[in-house]
Amino acid sequence: MTDTLKDRALALGLHGLAAHWAEVAGCDWLADLIAWEEDERRARSLKRRLGAARIGRFKPLADFDWDWPRRCDRMAVEDLMSLGFLNEAANVVLVGPNGVGKSTIAANIAHRAVLEGHTVRFDTAASMLGELAAIDSDTLLQRKLRFYARQHLLVIDEVGYLSYSNRHADLLFNIVSSRSQQRSTIITTNRPFAEWSEAFPNAACLVALVDRLVHNAEIVAIDGDSYRRKEAEERQKVRSAERRRRRAGKPKDADRKAPPG
């Protein structure tokens, strides 16, 4: 047990403590001290990785309305939440119309990956490609590309919502290629691959880009009406009902101005 504690102390970088191990090995507080330091390091690491991931606010998958989409493979999504695809460096493509939960599912997977100790980055395609395209220094660009390449999990959200130039397409191809068969990438898109040419018109790398994405990939198709629109309509109904209730309880002449005194 003592040797194990010393190994843990060295792993924490507590070299001063390890150098005086013979003096403290029998102390009752030693195990607690090392456990406290380990817990604090884990908490700091989690906080740092959550901040770096930039996942933002999202609805927990426990609150996801599985009955709303007309088609959604719940077992496939729950399997992805186990993160087994990360061990295989497999990609994930969530495809479906707006508002059916693609980003919510991706955010939940990304959050689980952070909790399990992985480095994660969550970006929209527009934000990521816009930032990269604006870099005019090759050195800085290569540094940023390496940043995206080394993340254990990279989520690129909303591919296909906007049209991009050939430079944007080349940058996306660079990132996907650098991660291919080494790290996992999740893509959410509102377009089937056959329509990606509308988002990346005249991009010479498009066929190769799609080929690298789908190689060893899990493709989850979701179909249905927009859940966001459903929620907006429900909120509007509640507001309208509340306004009607207030009007019904207001005195008939309440809106008339009192005569001057």
Side-chain angles (χ1 to χ4, degrees):
M1 178 63 176
T2 304
D3 290 339
T4 302
L5 284 177
K6 186 175 182 180
D7 291 340
R8 289 163 62 188
L10 288 170
L12 290 167
L14 303 177
H15 300 292
L17 182 64
H20 295 273
W21 198 257
E23 303 168 41
V24 300
C27 295
D28 294 337
W29 49 261
L30 183 59
D32 286 340
L33 175 67
I34 293 174
W36 292 337
E37 186 65 26
E38 288 172 335
D39 289 345
E40 181 63 21
R41 298 280 182 94
R42 280 193 291 267
R44 286 185 172 188
S45 174
L46 176 59
K47 183 178 181 180
R48 183 174 61 253
R49 285 182 287 103
L50 279 172
R54 291 172 52 173
I55 300 171
R57 296 180 60 184
F58 61 92
K59 179 184 293 186
L61 207 57
D63 297 333
F64 190 83
D65 187 355
W66 295 101
D67 295 328
W68 179 253
R70 284 188 291 271
R71 179 176 60 152
C72 182
D73 191 337
R74 180 173 182 173
M75 291 185 64
V77 173
E78 291 177 345
D79 187 53
L80 290 172
M81 287 291 290
S82 72
L83 305 180
F85 70 98
L86 292 179
N87 298 326
E88 303 171 2
N91 295 328
V92 177
V93 181
L94 302 170
V95 57
N98 301 343
V100 294
K102 303 183 300 298
S103 298
T104 294
I105 292 171
N108 274 271
I109 297 172
H111 187 257
R112 174 65 64 85
V114 174
L115 295 182
E116 293 296 323
H118 297 282
T119 57
V120 175
R121 181 70 168 197
F122 190 109
D123 266 327
T124 64
S127 174
M128 183 185 74
L129 297 177
E131 179 185 5
L132 291 172
I135 298 175
D136 56 8
S137 164
D138 187 64
T139 300
L140 293 178
L141 177 60
Q142 293 305 317
R143 183 183 304 167
K144 194 66 175 180
L145 289 172
R146 287 193 297 270
F147 166 80
Y148 283 112
R150 68 173 176 263
Q151 304 302 311
H152 294 164
L153 175 62
L154 175 63
V155 180
I156 307 176
D157 195 26
E158 299 179 349
V159 176
Y161 287 73
L162 301 175
S163 294
Y164 298 98
S165 68
N166 289 349
R167 174 164 169 74
H168 292 108
D170 291 342
L171 289 167
L172 182 58
F173 174 74
N174 188 310
I175 291 171
V176 170
S177 296
S178 67
R179 298 178 57 79
S180 181
Q181 303 185 59
Q182 299 181 60
R183 305 284 192 188
S184 294
T185 303
I186 295 178
I187 297 284
T188 75
T189 179
N190 63 331
R191 296 177 181 270
F193 289 122
E195 296 178 7
W196 273 33
S197 58
E198 297 177 26
F200 301 98
N202 304 316
C205 65
L206 184 57
V207 173
L209 168 61
V210 172
D211 182 66
R212 280 164 174 75
L213 273 176
V214 301
H215 178 71
N216 192 31
E218 175 84 24
I219 300 176
V220 179
I222 307 173
D223 187 29
D225 299 321
S226 171
Y227 193 78
R228 285 193 294 269
R229 186 180 301 117
K230 170 181 177 287
E231 289 183 319
E233 291 172 352
E234 289 175 349
R235 286 194 297 271
Q236 186 59 42
K237 288 179 182 178
V238 170
R239 294 191 190 104
S240 297
E242 177 62 19
R243 285 193 288 268
R244 287 194 299 269
R245 185 193 65 78
R246 290 200 304 267
R247 284 197 297 268
K250 193 187 317 184
K252 184 175 182 181
D253 297 331
D255 291 331
R256 295 182 181 178
K257 293 182 180 180

